[in-house]
């Protein structure tokens, strides 16, 4: 019957798709290894004596190789999730470490001096949580890098808040907000589609695989959360999600050192021309029990 034929065709298509995802997931090591070797060799060549022309050629080859590796990583990560072969790690980690590594990665990729990156972190977040640190870091890198890429001027803010602590669990809300180009209502319908970007001109102008947001959404879902987006064309975007993570026992010595720092009476002068960054810094200073004064310019600070 027609129904049986359609069902058979669908099953065959699903099986073919699954086998492709499985193949790519299994090829992960074999595909990444030669690319890492190429990058390693280019790095070693850069350390030798080169003419300015040779240096220019090698630099461009290095940029192209890194772009290719990023694309390969996106495809392989997606295929692993798609094939059901990606398992999350559950181990203690410090949110401070995640933020340090994130800032290191983003400082190297953010070449636009017209965009300021702001971390707005709630002091009430437990210092040590249990979960997949690397996957959480990858989500934050993808969302923050995207925001920086699509923001020509203004700011990108990573906001992490602790909504509740109950029965050894912490409910953490994470949001990445930007003042970028934004997304229209029509484009929002396809923002999480596989190998899709908001529009074809976006791919030409900004590059990328169109897999970053898909991977973020899948990772968040694996962590029992849901990734949401709020945006308007020309008014920036906000990607946000909430996770419930078990609280791990933090190092007592570290906690004691922090509490001793808090008890000291410290006067802090915050000099920052960006109002948002200034507000975040002053709030952090005052939350620590210190005295904070703010000013916008160096002459004001000197006075």
């Amino acid at each position: 019957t027609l129904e049986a034929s359609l069902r058979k065709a669908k099953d065959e298509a699903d099986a073919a798709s699954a086998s492709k995802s499985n193949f790519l997931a299994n090829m992960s090591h074999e595909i990444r290894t030669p690319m890492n070797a190429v990058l390693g060799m280019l790095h070693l060549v850069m350390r030798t004596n080169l003419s300015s022309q040779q240096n220019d050629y090698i630099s461009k080859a290095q940029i192209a190789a890194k772009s290719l590796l990023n694309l390969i990583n996106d495809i392989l990560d997606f295929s692993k999730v798609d094939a059901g072969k990606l398992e999350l790690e559950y181990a203690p980690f410090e949110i401070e470490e995640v933020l340090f590594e994130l800032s290191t990665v983003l400082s190297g990729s953010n070449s636009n001096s017209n965009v300021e990156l702001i971390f707005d972190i709630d002091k009430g977040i437990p210092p040590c949580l249990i979960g997949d640190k690397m996957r959480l870091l990858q989500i934050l890198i993808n969302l923050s890098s995207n925001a920086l890429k699509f923001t020509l001027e203004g700011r990108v803010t990573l906001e992490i808040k602790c909504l509740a602590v109950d029965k050894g669990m912490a409910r953490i809300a994470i949001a990445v907000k930007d003042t970028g180009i934004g997304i229209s209502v029509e484009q929002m319908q396809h923002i999480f589609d596989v190998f899709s970007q908001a529009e074809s001109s976006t791919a030409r102008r900004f590059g990328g695989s169109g897999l970053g947001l898909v991977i973020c959404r899948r990772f968040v879902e694996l962590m029992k959360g849901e990734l949401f987006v709020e945006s308007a064309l020309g008014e920036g975007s906000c990607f946000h999600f909430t996770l419930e993570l078990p609280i791990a026992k933090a190092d007592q010595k570290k906690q004691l050192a922090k509490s001793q720092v808090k008890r000291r009476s410290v006067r802090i002068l915050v000099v920052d021309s960006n109002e948002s960054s200034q507000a975040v810094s002053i709030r952090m200073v005052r939350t620590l029990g210190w005295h904070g004064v703010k000013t916008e310019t160096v002459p004001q600070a000197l006075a």
Side-chain angles (χ1 to χ4, degrees), residues 44-277:
L44 291 174
V45 173
M46 287 284 282
R47 294 173 66 179
T48 62
N49 293 322
L50 300 169
S51 68
S52 58
Q53 191 176 39
Q54 287 172 327
N55 191 70
D56 181 50
Y57 291 160
I58 296 292
S59 296
K60 285 171 180 170
Q62 204 171 30
I63 291 166
K66 283 179 180 176
S67 297
L68 183 55
L69 184 61
N70 288 336
L71 180 60
I72 288 169
N73 285 338
D74 278 352
I75 293 169
L76 293 176
D77 281 335
F78 172 74
S79 65
K80 273 188 177 180
V81 175
D82 213 38
K85 291 202 167 188
L86 188 79
E87 292 183 5
L88 293 179
E89 181 184 26
Y90 289 95
F93 71 91
E94 290 186 355
I95 204 81
E96 218 171 278
E97 276 181 46
V98 174
L99 294 172
F100 175 75
E101 290 178 31
L102 176 66
S103 64
T104 303
V105 172
L106 295 179
S107 63
S109 62
N110 183 24
S111 56
N112 187 352
S113 59
N114 294 325
V115 180
E116 187 155 9
L117 178 63
I118 300 168
F119 283 12
D120 188 358
I121 313 301
D122 185 354
K123 179 185 152 286
I125 299 170
C128 206
L129 300 166
I130 296 174
D132 193 323
K133 175 191 163 187
M134 292 313 298
R135 299 300 174 193
L136 178 59
L137 178 60
Q138 195 172 346
I139 292 167
L140 297 180
I141 289 172
N142 277 0
L143 292 179
S144 303
S145 298
N146 243 19
L148 288 167
K149 184 165 68 171
F150 294 110
T151 303
L152 304 177
E153 60 179 357
R155 62 187 174 276
V156 171
T157 306
L158 169 64
E159 202 176 81
I160 305 181
K161 295 186 181 299
C162 184
L163 301 180
V165 173
D166 186 38
K167 296 176 182 174
M169 299 290 288
R171 190 170 171 79
I172 308 294
I174 298 172
V176 176
K177 304 174 182 178
D178 65 62
T179 57
I181 61 173
I183 310 162
S184 70
V185 176
E186 295 77 26
Q187 293 162 357
M188 290 262 276
Q189 296 170 4
H190 306 290
I191 198 75
F192 291 116
D193 288 354
V194 180
F195 295 108
S196 168
Q197 290 186 318
E199 54 175 326
S200 58
S201 63
T202 302
R204 289 196 299 273
R205 185 177 174 191
F206 296 99
S209 64
L211 278 176
L213 289 177
V214 182
I215 292 166
C216 284
R217 187 181 66 170
R218 299 285 175 94
F219 282 174
V220 171
E221 285 171 353
L222 282 172
M223 294 176 181
K224 311 296 183 198
E226 189 174 353
L227 181 61
F228 297 97
V229 58
E230 294 167 19
S231 185
L233 201 59
E235 294 181 19
S237 305
C238 174
F239 288 85
H240 59 97
F241 59 97
T242 304
L243 298 177
E244 286 201 8
L245 299 170
I247 301 168
K249 289 183 179 178
D251 185 345
Q252 289 181 341
K253 286 183 183 176
K254 196 174 282 188
Q255 285 295 96
L256 181 63
K258 283 185 179 178
S259 65
Q260 286 172 343
V261 168
K262 274 198 288 186
R263 279 198 295 272
R264 289 190 201 132
S265 178
V266 180
R267 290 170 57 81
I268 303 288
L269 175 63
V270 175
V271 186
D272 202 320
S273 57
N274 185 304
E275 285 184 20
S276 300
S277 182

Side-chain angles (χ1 to χ4, degrees), residues 273-286:
S273 57
N274 185 304
E275 285 184 20
S276 300
S277 182
Q278 186 190 83
V280 170
S281 298
I282 282 291
R283 187 164 66 248
M284 287 168 65
V285 165
R286 290 174 181 168

